[in-house]
Amino acid sequence: MDEAITAKPKKGRGAVGNPKPRFDAEERLAVDDGWGSADPDELPPLRTTVSPDSSRKVIARNESPDIPFDRSINPYRGCEHGCVYCFARPTHAYLGMSPGLDFETKLVAKHNAAELLRVELARPSYRPAAMALGTNTDPYQPIEKRLGITRQVLQVLAETHHPLGIVTKSHLVTRDIDILAPMAREGLVRVFLSVTTLDKDLARRMEPRASTPARRLEAVRELQDAGIPCGVMASPMIPSLNDHELEAILEEAASHGARWASYILLRLPLEIKELFNDWLDVHAPDRKKRILNILREARGGKLYDSQWGQRMTGKGVFADLLARRFERATTRLGLNREEPKVDCSKFQPPAKDPRQFNLF
């Protein structure tokens, strides 16, 4: 009798499966026909592919009351870092692809992002505010080293003196110090490194293609030494998996020169619930029940609650304790003494394209 294939870890990948997109009317299930033809160990390794993004705009807008920015740029859809908990995974369903392994291997790149950005910033109606880079997928994921789309976007933002905030898990951000340092001298940029754990082995299982925790902290030091203000995001905090590291992460952040810190309680919207559940079966089966029970307690009995103001931190005993621990640690370490604000007053629209003629 045919049996469904048991999920197994994929080398260099975070998700252990590839569930169907929620908009797909069909569902496919791998089965073993007795010949081992569907054995995951016999399948070829997953390769990363990159397709062009045909979007005509590059600035995404949001009106979320619990997010400190209203505009962002994401040069890539999908992310090769493979963080199993990534809340951006469900967006791949809009492309007809799975939020699982497809999200990590089938990337979509906005090759003309810099040109589109120049057009949008040149509009007479445009008013500057902090531009967030890396809010959905990481702008410094491995493919950026070859394509350089993020660097092209930074060049436009630097040229126009546009305020900017960056979030990344990659040491690659230090490549662009030559652009970021002059922007920092004008008060235009803040960079946040996401550090989920100090445990290299746990990081390899949760976020297999991101820079190691040590390299991310090195990036904080290098950026600070170059005069680029930095912070650290201890996110996500996962009960009974990495939450015990909160104070240690903040201490390392402070010792490497970070000025700000934040945290987010694990979010499991849409398909991420299933993906994380399968990941726990493979990587932390002994802690799975406790982890999920605490998350339900912090989310009003559900695995996720999208309510504004609570979706980032949760509620209840565990959430309250985590918040108090964070406040005490940041106060003790001298973090968050000031707001990570950027200067919006120096913006200059991009220079007019010399190839374009005046109508009058």
Side-chain angles (χ1 to χ4, degrees):
M1 183 176 179
D2 292 348
E3 294 182 358
I5 300 301
T6 302
K8 295 183 179 180
K10 309 295 189 293
K11 185 176 180 181
R13 302 298 178 184
V16 297
N18 212 32
K20 74 180 184 71
R22 60 187 177 279
F23 305 116
D24 198 335
E26 297 181 354
E27 183 170 3
R28 297 171 178 82
L29 181 65
V31 296
D32 189 345
D33 59 5
W35 295 97
S37 58
D39 188 340
D41 293 334
E42 300 300 324
L43 297 176
L46 292 166
R47 304 295 184 188
T48 299
T49 62
V50 183
S51 302
D53 187 331
S54 58
S55 300
R56 288 180 288 182
K57 292 184 177 181
V58 71
I59 300 178
R61 303 278 182 163
N62 82 85
E63 298 179 353
S64 303
D66 56 355
I67 295 179
F69 56 86
D70 68 354
R71 67 200 69 186
S72 60
I73 297 174
N74 290 285
Y76 305 98
R77 298 190 191 190
C79 186
E80 203 174 5
H81 280 164
C83 305
V84 67
Y85 50 75
C86 180
F87 60 80
R89 284 182 177 272
T91 63
H92 236 46
Y94 294 108
L95 304 177
M97 293 185 277
S98 173
L101 292 168
D102 283 355
F103 179 80
E104 307 173 35
T105 60
K106 297 180 179 179
L107 310 182
V108 180
K110 300 178 183 178
H111 296 281
N112 61 341
E115 290 82 356
L116 292 173
L117 177 61
R118 186 178 295 277
V119 170
E120 293 187 58
L121 297 184
R123 289 176 180 154
S125 61
Y126 184 81
R127 298 294 179 267
M131 186 75 73
L133 195 60
T135 58
N136 200 42
T137 57
D138 202 307
Y140 287 101
Q141 59 181 283
I143 196 65
E144 165 63 17
K145 190 171 184 179
R146 177 166 65 87
L147 297 183
I149 300 174
T150 296
R151 183 172 176 84
Q152 295 169 20
V153 167
L154 289 182
Q155 289 169 335
V156 175
L157 294 173
E159 174 193 330
T160 57
H161 305 272
H162 196 292
L164 168 68
I166 299 174
V167 177
T168 182
K169 285 186 173 74
S170 178
H171 183 271
L172 183 59
V173 65
T174 61
R175 176 202 64 184
D176 294 333
I177 284 178
D178 62 317
I179 299 176
L180 297 174
M183 293 183 73
R185 288 195 288 271
E186 293 187 74
L188 296 175
V189 65
R190 303 289 183 264
V191 179
F192 281 79
L193 273 292
S194 176
V195 181
T196 312
T197 176
L198 300 177
D199 184 335
K200 187 176 180 179
D201 292 332
L202 178 58
R204 184 183 294 112
R205 286 178 280 147
M206 284 202 302
E207 39 200 31
R209 295 200 173 188
S211 295
T212 63
R215 288 285 281 166
R216 293 178 224 176
L217 290 167
E218 287 175 15
V220 171
R221 173 67 70 192
E222 291 177 40
L223 292 166
Q224 281 290 158
D225 288 348
I228 303 164
C230 279
V232 162
M233 299 179 68
S235 302
M237 285 286 102
I238 306 173
S240 291
L241 191 65
N242 71 338
D243 69 292
H244 64 283
E245 296 187 71
L246 177 60
E247 288 83 358
I249 292 171
L250 298 178
E251 288 168 4
E252 285 296 314
S255 71
H256 282 77
R259 293 165 57 176
W260 305 285
S262 66
Y263 79 96
I264 296 175
L265 181 64
L266 177 66
R267 298 169 55 191
L268 296 175
L270 301 170
E271 292 95 340
I272 306 179
K273 298 184 186 70
E274 178 185 348
L275 289 166
F276 188 65
N277 184 80
D278 291 345
W279 184 89
L280 289 174
D281 281 336
V282 173
H283 294 287
D286 56 327
R287 283 181 273 181
K288 175 181 176 179
K289 184 177 181 180
R290 177 171 174 77
I291 290 171
L292 297 182
N293 282 344
I294 296 176
L295 283 173
R296 288 190 181 94
E297 185 273 332
R299 300 292 187 189
K302 301 178 290 185
L303 280 179
Y304 184 58
D305 182 359
S306 61
Q307 184 177 345
W308 302 127
Q310 292 187 357
R311 59 178 182 158
M312 305 294 187
T313 57
K315 58 185 178 181
V317 176
F318 177 83
D320 291 344
L321 178 59
L322 193 64
R324 288 200 298 270
R325 288 171 54 197
F326 176 79
E327 289 299 328
R328 289 185 179 183
T330 52
T331 299
R332 172 171 57 86
L333 296 168
L335 297 167
N336 297 340
R337 289 182 175 176
E338 58 181 313
E339 290 289 328
K341 293 181 179 180
V342 287
D343 189 345
C344 299
S345 67
K346 299 177 181 178
F347 173 70
Q348 299 175 7
K352 187 175 180 180
D353 189 334
R355 297 171 296 179
Q356 182 176 343
F357 293 98
N358 288 323
L359 294 177
F360 304 100

PDB file of all heavy atoms in Angstrom, residues 108-141:
ATOM      1  N   VAL A 108      12.018  35.830  -7.233  1.00  0.00           N
ATOM      2  CA  VAL A 108      11.613  36.792  -8.253  1.00  0.00           C
ATOM      3  C   VAL A 108      12.346  38.093  -7.958  1.00  0.00           C
ATOM      4  O   VAL A 108      12.288  38.595  -6.830  1.00  0.00           O
ATOM      5  CB  VAL A 108      10.090  37.006  -8.240  1.00  0.00           C
ATOM      6  CG1 VAL A 108       9.684  38.011  -9.312  1.00  0.00           C
ATOM      7  CG2 VAL A 108       9.358  35.683  -8.463  1.00  0.00           C
ATOM      8  N   ALA A 109      13.060  38.623  -8.939  1.00  0.00           N
ATOM      9  CA  ALA A 109      13.904  39.797  -8.728  1.00  0.00           C
ATOM     10  C   ALA A 109      13.413  40.997  -9.523  1.00  0.00           C
ATOM     11  O   ALA A 109      13.030  40.874 -10.692  1.00  0.00           O
ATOM     12  CB  ALA A 109      15.350  39.477  -9.119  1.00  0.00           C
ATOM     13  N   LYS A 110      13.434  42.164  -8.886  1.00  0.00           N
ATOM     14  CA  LYS A 110      13.045  43.410  -9.553  1.00  0.00           C
ATOM     15  C   LYS A 110      14.310  44.052 -10.135  1.00  0.00           C
ATOM     16  O   LYS A 110      14.901  44.958  -9.543  1.00  0.00           O
ATOM     17  CB  LYS A 110      12.362  44.345  -8.559  1.00  0.00           C
ATOM     18  CG  LYS A 110      11.095  43.748  -7.953  1.00  0.00           C
ATOM     19  CD  LYS A 110      10.453  44.677  -6.937  1.00  0.00           C
ATOM     20  CE  LYS A 110       9.239  44.017  -6.294  1.00  0.00           C
ATOM     21  NZ  LYS A 110       8.605  44.866  -5.268  1.00  0.00           N
ATOM     22  N   HIS A 111      14.718  43.567 -11.296  1.00  0.00           N
ATOM     23  CA  HIS A 111      15.983  44.009 -11.888  1.00  0.00           C
ATOM     24  C   HIS A 111      16.005  45.512 -12.161  1.00  0.00           C
ATOM     25  O   HIS A 111      17.073  46.128 -12.133  1.00  0.00           O
ATOM     26  CB  HIS A 111      16.233  43.242 -13.189  1.00  0.00           C
ATOM     27  CG  HIS A 111      16.428  41.765 -13.006  1.00  0.00           C
ATOM     28  ND1 HIS A 111      17.620  41.215 -12.567  1.00  0.00           N
ATOM     29  CD2 HIS A 111      15.577  40.722 -13.170  1.00  0.00           C
ATOM     30  CE1 HIS A 111      17.500  39.906 -12.488  1.00  0.00           C
ATOM     31  NE2 HIS A 111      16.265  39.571 -12.835  1.00  0.00           N
ATOM     32  N   ASN A 112      14.859  46.096 -12.452  1.00  0.00           N
ATOM     33  CA  ASN A 112      14.802  47.531 -12.771  1.00  0.00           C
ATOM     34  C   ASN A 112      14.326  48.357 -11.576  1.00  0.00           C
ATOM     35  O   ASN A 112      13.762  49.445 -11.752  1.00  0.00           O
ATOM     36  CB  ASN A 112      13.899  47.776 -13.969  1.00  0.00           C
ATOM     37  CG  ASN A 112      12.461  47.322 -13.701  1.00  0.00           C
ATOM     38  OD1 ASN A 112      12.205  46.532 -12.800  1.00  0.00           O
ATOM     39  ND2 ASN A 112      11.522  47.822 -14.491  1.00  0.00           N
ATOM     40  N   ALA A 113      14.549  47.859 -10.373  1.00  0.00           N
ATOM     41  CA  ALA A 113      14.065  48.545  -9.174  1.00  0.00           C
ATOM     42  C   ALA A 113      14.591  49.974  -9.078  1.00  0.00           C
ATOM     43  O   ALA A 113      13.853  50.892  -8.723  1.00  0.00           O
ATOM     44  CB  ALA A 113      14.457  47.752  -7.928  1.00  0.00           C
ATOM     45  N   ALA A 114      15.867  50.176  -9.380  1.00  0.00           N
ATOM     46  CA  ALA A 114      16.456  51.519  -9.264  1.00  0.00           C
ATOM     47  C   ALA A 114      15.807  52.497 -10.237  1.00  0.00           C
ATOM     48  O   ALA A 114      15.522  53.644  -9.879  1.00  0.00           O
ATOM     49  CB  ALA A 114      17.966  51.447  -9.499  1.00  0.00           C
ATOM     50  N   GLU A 115      15.541  52.036 -11.457  1.00  0.00           N
ATOM     51  CA  GLU A 115      14.907  52.905 -12.450  1.00  0.00           C
ATOM     52  C   GLU A 115      13.477  53.257 -12.042  1.00  0.00           C
ATOM     53  O   GLU A 115      13.041  54.412 -12.162  1.00  0.00           O
ATOM     54  CB  GLU A 115      14.897  52.218 -13.821  1.00  0.00           C
ATOM     55  CG  GLU A 115      16.266  52.078 -14.467  1.00  0.00           C
ATOM     56  CD  GLU A 115      17.052  50.881 -13.963  1.00  0.00           C
ATOM     57  OE1 GLU A 115      16.555  50.181 -13.039  1.00  0.00           O
ATOM     58  OE2 GLU A 115      18.153  50.638 -14.476  1.00  0.00           O
ATOM     59  N   LEU A 116      12.744  52.263 -11.552  1.00  0.00           N
ATOM     60  CA  LEU A 116      11.376  52.517 -11.092  1.00  0.00           C
ATOM     61  C   LEU A 116      11.366  53.475  -9.906  1.00  0.00           C
ATOM     62  O   LEU A 116      10.507  54.356  -9.814  1.00  0.00           O
ATOM     63  CB  LEU A 116      10.705  51.196 -10.704  1.00  0.00           C
ATOM     64  CG  LEU A 116      10.406  50.211 -11.836  1.00  0.00           C
ATOM     65  CD1 LEU A 116       9.900  48.881 -11.264  1.00  0.00           C
ATOM     66  CD2 LEU A 116       9.397  50.787 -12.813  1.00  0.00           C
ATOM     67  N   LEU A 117      12.325  53.294  -9.008  1.00  0.00           N
ATOM     68  CA  LEU A 117      12.408  54.162  -7.842  1.00  0.00           C
ATOM     69  C   LEU A 117      12.671  55.604  -8.254  1.00  0.00           C
ATOM     70  O   LEU A 117      12.056  56.542  -7.730  1.00  0.00           O
ATOM     71  CB  LEU A 117      13.506  53.668  -6.898  1.00  0.00           C
ATOM     72  CG  LEU A 117      13.771  54.524  -5.665  1.00  0.00           C
ATOM     73  CD1 LEU A 117      12.527  54.614  -4.782  1.00  0.00           C
ATOM     74  CD2 LEU A 117      14.945  53.956  -4.868  1.00  0.00           C
ATOM     75  N   ARG A 118      13.558  55.790  -9.199  1.00  0.00           N
ATOM     76  CA  ARG A 118      13.881  57.140  -9.665  1.00  0.00           C
ATOM     77  C   ARG A 118      12.629  57.839 -10.207  1.00  0.00           C
ATOM     78  O   ARG A 118      12.394  59.018  -9.933  1.00  0.00           O
ATOM     79  CB  ARG A 118      14.972  57.057 -10.736  1.00  0.00           C
ATOM     80  CG  ARG A 118      15.506  58.395 -11.199  1.00  0.00           C
ATOM     81  CD  ARG A 118      16.618  58.199 -12.216  1.00  0.00           C
ATOM     82  NE  ARG A 118      17.769  57.554 -11.604  1.00  0.00           N
ATOM     83  CZ  ARG A 118      18.700  58.187 -10.907  1.00  0.00           C
ATOM     84  NH1 ARG A 118      18.608  59.505 -10.737  1.00  0.00           N
ATOM     85  NH2 ARG A 118      19.711  57.542 -10.389  1.00  0.00           N
ATOM     86  N   VAL A 119      11.807  57.088 -10.944  1.00  0.00           N
ATOM     87  CA  VAL A 119      10.579  57.648 -11.510  1.00  0.00           C
ATOM     88  C   VAL A 119       9.612  58.056 -10.401  1.00  0.00           C
ATOM     89  O   VAL A 119       9.024  59.140 -10.427  1.00  0.00           O
ATOM     90  CB  VAL A 119       9.907  56.632 -12.460  1.00  0.00           C
ATOM     91  CG1 VAL A 119       8.512  57.109 -12.864  1.00  0.00           C
ATOM     92  CG2 VAL A 119      10.766  56.415 -13.698  1.00  0.00           C
ATOM     93  N   GLU A 120       9.451  57.177  -9.395  1.00  0.00           N
ATOM     94  CA  GLU A 120       8.498  57.466  -8.320  1.00  0.00           C
ATOM     95  C   GLU A 120       8.954  58.635  -7.454  1.00  0.00           C
ATOM     96  O   GLU A 120       8.143  59.456  -7.021  1.00  0.00           O
ATOM     97  CB  GLU A 120       8.285  56.213  -7.473  1.00  0.00           C
ATOM     98  CG  GLU A 120       7.575  55.098  -8.237  1.00  0.00           C
ATOM     99  CD  GLU A 120       7.220  53.917  -7.359  1.00  0.00           C
ATOM    100  OE1 GLU A 120       6.494  54.109  -6.358  1.00  0.00           O
ATOM    101  OE2 GLU A 120       7.672  52.791  -7.663  1.00  0.00           O
ATOM    102  N   LEU A 121      10.246  58.723  -7.192  1.00  0.00           N
ATOM    103  CA  LEU A 121      10.749  59.832  -6.371  1.00  0.00           C
ATOM    104  C   LEU A 121      10.691  61.163  -7.104  1.00  0.00           C
ATOM    105  O   LEU A 121      10.690  62.229  -6.474  1.00  0.00           O
ATOM    106  CB  LEU A 121      12.189  59.553  -5.934  1.00  0.00           C
ATOM    107  CG  LEU A 121      12.434  58.336  -5.036  1.00  0.00           C
ATOM    108  CD1 LEU A 121      13.896  58.275  -4.621  1.00  0.00           C
ATOM    109  CD2 LEU A 121      11.535  58.372  -3.804  1.00  0.00           C
ATOM    110  N   ALA A 122      10.651  61.128  -8.434  1.00  0.00           N
ATOM    111  CA  ALA A 122      10.645  62.364  -9.223  1.00  0.00           C
ATOM    112  C   ALA A 122       9.247  62.965  -9.365  1.00  0.00           C
ATOM    113  O   ALA A 122       9.114  64.098  -9.843  1.00  0.00           O
ATOM    114  CB  ALA A 122      11.223  62.093 -10.611  1.00  0.00           C
ATOM    115  N   ARG A 123       8.231  62.252  -8.958  1.00  0.00           N
ATOM    116  CA  ARG A 123       6.870  62.779  -9.094  1.00  0.00           C
ATOM    117  C   ARG A 123       6.685  64.015  -8.212  1.00  0.00           C
ATOM    118  O   ARG A 123       7.097  64.021  -7.046  1.00  0.00           O
ATOM    119  CB  ARG A 123       5.858  61.707  -8.724  1.00  0.00           C
ATOM    120  CG  ARG A 123       5.775  60.604  -9.771  1.00  0.00           C
ATOM    121  CD  ARG A 123       4.852  59.503  -9.353  1.00  0.00           C
ATOM    122  NE  ARG A 123       4.796  58.473 -10.387  1.00  0.00           N
ATOM    123  CZ  ARG A 123       4.509  57.201 -10.173  1.00  0.00           C
ATOM    124  NH1 ARG A 123       4.247  56.797  -8.941  1.00  0.00           N
ATOM    125  NH2 ARG A 123       4.476  56.341 -11.164  1.00  0.00           N
ATOM    126  N   PRO A 124       6.050  65.061  -8.726  1.00  0.00           N
ATOM    127  CA  PRO A 124       5.854  66.293  -7.951  1.00  0.00           C
ATOM    128  C   PRO A 124       5.088  66.063  -6.656  1.00  0.00           C
ATOM    129  O   PRO A 124       5.278  66.797  -5.686  1.00  0.00           O
ATOM    130  CB  PRO A 124       5.062  67.183  -8.919  1.00  0.00           C
ATOM    131  CG  PRO A 124       5.399  66.673 -10.276  1.00  0.00           C
ATOM    132  CD  PRO A 124       5.576  65.192 -10.123  1.00  0.00           C
ATOM    133  N   SER A 125       4.240  65.057  -6.626  1.00  0.00           N
ATOM    134  CA  SER A 125       3.415  64.796  -5.439  1.00  0.00           C
ATOM    135  C   SER A 125       4.144  64.004  -4.360  1.00  0.00           C
ATOM    136  O   SER A 125       3.636  63.843  -3.251  1.00  0.00           O
ATOM    137  CB  SER A 125       2.154  64.026  -5.836  1.00  0.00           C
ATOM    138  OG  SER A 125       2.493  62.777  -6.417  1.00  0.00           O
ATOM    139  N   TYR A 126       5.358  63.524  -4.656  1.00  0.00           N
ATOM    140  CA  TYR A 126       6.051  62.674  -3.680  1.00  0.00           C
ATOM    141  C   TYR A 126       6.530  63.492  -2.479  1.00  0.00           C
ATOM    142  O   TYR A 126       7.123  64.552  -2.628  1.00  0.00           O
ATOM    143  CB  TYR A 126       7.246  61.960  -4.316  1.00  0.00           C
ATOM    144  CG  TYR A 126       7.908  61.006  -3.341  1.00  0.00           C
ATOM    145  CD1 TYR A 126       7.377  59.748  -3.118  1.00  0.00           C
ATOM    146  CD2 TYR A 126       9.038  61.388  -2.617  1.00  0.00           C
ATOM    147  CE1 TYR A 126       7.946  58.881  -2.194  1.00  0.00           C
ATOM    148  CE2 TYR A 126       9.617  60.530  -1.702  1.00  0.00           C
ATOM    149  CZ  TYR A 126       9.067  59.279  -1.488  1.00  0.00           C
ATOM    150  OH  TYR A 126       9.632  58.425  -0.562  1.00  0.00           O
ATOM    151  N   ARG A 127       6.275  62.957  -1.277  1.00  0.00           N
ATOM    152  CA  ARG A 127       6.738  63.561  -0.033  1.00  0.00           C
ATOM    153  C   ARG A 127       7.585  62.540   0.725  1.00  0.00           C
ATOM    154  O   ARG A 127       7.143  61.410   0.936  1.00  0.00           O
ATOM    155  CB  ARG A 127       5.557  64.009   0.830  1.00  0.00           C
ATOM    156  CG  ARG A 127       4.687  65.080   0.176  1.00  0.00           C
ATOM    157  CD  ARG A 127       5.472  66.382   0.018  1.00  0.00           C
ATOM    158  NE  ARG A 127       4.663  67.430  -0.626  1.00  0.00           N
ATOM    159  CZ  ARG A 127       4.653  67.650  -1.927  1.00  0.00           C
ATOM    160  NH1 ARG A 127       5.398  66.902  -2.741  1.00  0.00           N
ATOM    161  NH2 ARG A 127       3.899  68.604  -2.443  1.00  0.00           N
ATOM    162  N   PRO A 128       8.796  62.894   1.133  1.00  0.00           N
ATOM    163  CA  PRO A 128       9.704  61.918   1.735  1.00  0.00           C
ATOM    164  C   PRO A 128       9.312  61.512   3.154  1.00  0.00           C
ATOM    165  O   PRO A 128       8.747  62.296   3.919  1.00  0.00           O
ATOM    166  CB  PRO A 128      11.040  62.659   1.740  1.00  0.00           C
ATOM    167  CG  PRO A 128      10.656  64.099   1.843  1.00  0.00           C
ATOM    168  CD  PRO A 128       9.394  64.232   1.028  1.00  0.00           C
ATOM    169  N   ALA A 129       9.599  60.268   3.476  1.00  0.00           N
ATOM    170  CA  ALA A 129       9.515  59.709   4.827  1.00  0.00           C
ATOM    171  C   ALA A 129      10.439  58.506   4.820  1.00  0.00           C
ATOM    172  O   ALA A 129      10.888  58.061   3.747  1.00  0.00           O
ATOM    173  CB  ALA A 129       8.083  59.307   5.178  1.00  0.00           C
ATOM    174  N   ALA A 130      10.752  57.991   5.980  1.00  0.00           N
ATOM    175  CA  ALA A 130      11.715  56.896   6.053  1.00  0.00           C
ATOM    176  C   ALA A 130      11.307  55.732   5.154  1.00  0.00           C
ATOM    177  O   ALA A 130      10.200  55.211   5.253  1.00  0.00           O
ATOM    178  CB  ALA A 130      11.844  56.423   7.494  1.00  0.00           C
ATOM    179  N   MET A 131      12.213  55.329   4.283  1.00  0.00           N
ATOM    180  CA  MET A 131      11.995  54.192   3.391  1.00  0.00           C
ATOM    181  C   MET A 131      12.549  52.945   4.084  1.00  0.00           C
ATOM    182  O   MET A 131      13.722  52.911   4.476  1.00  0.00           O
ATOM    183  CB  MET A 131      12.711  54.400   2.053  1.00  0.00           C
ATOM    184  CG  MET A 131      12.419  53.336   1.020  1.00  0.00           C
ATOM    185  SD  MET A 131      10.767  53.521   0.314  1.00  0.00           S
ATOM    186  CE  MET A 131      11.041  54.972  -0.725  1.00  0.00           C
ATOM    187  N   ALA A 132      11.724  51.916   4.226  1.00  0.00           N
ATOM    188  CA  ALA A 132      12.166  50.677   4.856  1.00  0.00           C
ATOM    189  C   ALA A 132      12.635  49.697   3.791  1.00  0.00           C
ATOM    190  O   ALA A 132      11.940  49.460   2.802  1.00  0.00           O
ATOM    191  CB  ALA A 132      11.037  50.067   5.676  1.00  0.00           C
ATOM    192  N   LEU A 133      13.798  49.141   3.999  1.00  0.00           N
ATOM    193  CA  LEU A 133      14.377  48.184   3.070  1.00  0.00           C
ATOM    194  C   LEU A 133      14.593  46.866   3.811  1.00  0.00           C
ATOM    195  O   LEU A 133      15.329  46.812   4.798  1.00  0.00           O
ATOM    196  CB  LEU A 133      15.710  48.723   2.538  1.00  0.00           C
ATOM    197  CG  LEU A 133      16.333  48.070   1.311  1.00  0.00           C
ATOM    198  CD1 LEU A 133      15.392  48.165   0.116  1.00  0.00           C
ATOM    199  CD2 LEU A 133      17.655  48.732   0.976  1.00  0.00           C
ATOM    200  N   GLY A 134      13.907  45.808   3.369  1.00  0.00           N
ATOM    201  CA  GLY A 134      14.053  44.515   4.028  1.00  0.00           C
ATOM    202  C   GLY A 134      12.920  44.181   4.962  1.00  0.00           C
ATOM    203  O   GLY A 134      13.087  43.407   5.907  1.00  0.00           O
ATOM    204  N   THR A 135      11.749  44.727   4.719  1.00  0.00           N
ATOM    205  CA  THR A 135      10.625  44.485   5.623  1.00  0.00           C
ATOM    206  C   THR A 135       9.891  43.192   5.307  1.00  0.00           C
ATOM    207  O   THR A 135       9.222  42.635   6.172  1.00  0.00           O
ATOM    208  CB  THR A 135       9.613  45.638   5.519  1.00  0.00           C
ATOM    209  OG1 THR A 135       9.174  45.745   4.139  1.00  0.00           O
ATOM    210  CG2 THR A 135      10.272  46.950   5.918  1.00  0.00           C
ATOM    211  N   ASN A 136       9.996  42.721   4.089  1.00  0.00           N
ATOM    212  CA  ASN A 136       9.319  41.490   3.691  1.00  0.00           C
ATOM    213  C   ASN A 136      10.339  40.376   3.469  1.00  0.00           C
ATOM    214  O   ASN A 136      10.321  39.361   4.150  1.00  0.00           O
ATOM    215  CB  ASN A 136       8.477  41.723   2.432  1.00  0.00           C
ATOM    216  CG  ASN A 136       7.393  40.686   2.244  1.00  0.00           C
ATOM    217  OD1 ASN A 136       6.731  40.289   3.190  1.00  0.00           O
ATOM    218  ND2 ASN A 136       7.205  40.228   1.023  1.00  0.00           N
ATOM    219  N   THR A 137      11.218  40.558   2.516  1.00  0.00           N
ATOM    220  CA  THR A 137      12.312  39.610   2.314  1.00  0.00           C
ATOM    221  C   THR A 137      13.637  40.353   2.435  1.00  0.00           C
ATOM    222  O   THR A 137      13.699  41.570   2.294  1.00  0.00           O
ATOM    223  CB  THR A 137      12.207  38.942   0.934  1.00  0.00           C
ATOM    224  OG1 THR A 137      12.206  39.944  -0.083  1.00  0.00           O
ATOM    225  CG2 THR A 137      10.926  38.118   0.839  1.00  0.00           C
ATOM    226  N   ASP A 138      14.708  39.609   2.680  1.00  0.00           N
ATOM    227  CA  ASP A 138      15.988  40.237   2.991  1.00  0.00           C
ATOM    228  C   ASP A 138      16.633  40.845   1.749  1.00  0.00           C
ATOM    229  O   ASP A 138      16.846  40.155   0.748  1.00  0.00           O
ATOM    230  CB  ASP A 138      16.929  39.205   3.615  1.00  0.00           C
ATOM    231  CG  ASP A 138      18.030  39.842   4.432  1.00  0.00           C
ATOM    232  OD1 ASP A 138      18.725  40.731   3.898  1.00  0.00           O
ATOM    233  OD2 ASP A 138      18.200  39.464   5.605  1.00  0.00           O
ATOM    234  N   PRO A 139      16.973  42.143   1.798  1.00  0.00           N
ATOM    235  CA  PRO A 139      17.597  42.786   0.638  1.00  0.00           C
ATOM    236  C   PRO A 139      19.030  42.326   0.408  1.00  0.00           C
ATOM    237  O   PRO A 139      19.601  42.595  -0.652  1.00  0.00           O
ATOM    238  CB  PRO A 139      17.548  44.274   1.006  1.00  0.00           C
ATOM    239  CG  PRO A 139      17.595  44.286   2.498  1.00  0.00           C
ATOM    240  CD  PRO A 139      16.801  43.083   2.920  1.00  0.00           C
ATOM    241  N   TYR A 140      19.618  41.629   1.406  1.00  0.00           N
ATOM    242  CA  TYR A 140      20.993  41.149   1.284  1.00  0.00           C
ATOM    243  C   TYR A 140      21.077  39.622   1.307  1.00  0.00           C
ATOM    244  O   TYR A 140      22.064  39.063   1.749  1.00  0.00           O
ATOM    245  CB  TYR A 140      21.858  41.751   2.401  1.00  0.00           C
ATOM    246  CG  TYR A 140      22.141  43.215   2.182  1.00  0.00           C
ATOM    247  CD1 TYR A 140      21.427  44.189   2.867  1.00  0.00           C
ATOM    248  CD2 TYR A 140      23.107  43.625   1.275  1.00  0.00           C
ATOM    249  CE1 TYR A 140      21.669  45.545   2.659  1.00  0.00           C
ATOM    250  CE2 TYR A 140      23.370  44.969   1.056  1.00  0.00           C
ATOM    251  CZ  TYR A 140      22.644  45.924   1.755  1.00  0.00           C
ATOM    252  OH  TYR A 140      22.900  47.258   1.532  1.00  0.00           O
ATOM    253  N   GLN A 141      20.028  38.969   0.797  1.00  0.00           N
ATOM    254  CA  GLN A 141      20.083  37.517   0.672  1.00  0.00           C
ATOM    255  C   GLN A 141      21.161  37.154  -0.340  1.00  0.00           C
ATOM    256  O   GLN A 141      21.636  38.009  -1.103  1.00  0.00           O
ATOM    257  CB  GLN A 141      18.724  36.965   0.277  1.00  0.00           C
ATOM    258  CG  GLN A 141      18.167  37.485  -1.026  1.00  0.00           C
ATOM    259  CD  GLN A 141      16.798  36.901  -1.332  1.00  0.00           C
ATOM    260  OE1 GLN A 141      16.708  35.759  -1.761  1.00  0.00           O
ATOM    261  NE2 GLN A 141      15.745  37.677  -1.082  1.00  0.00           N
TER     262      GLN A 141
END
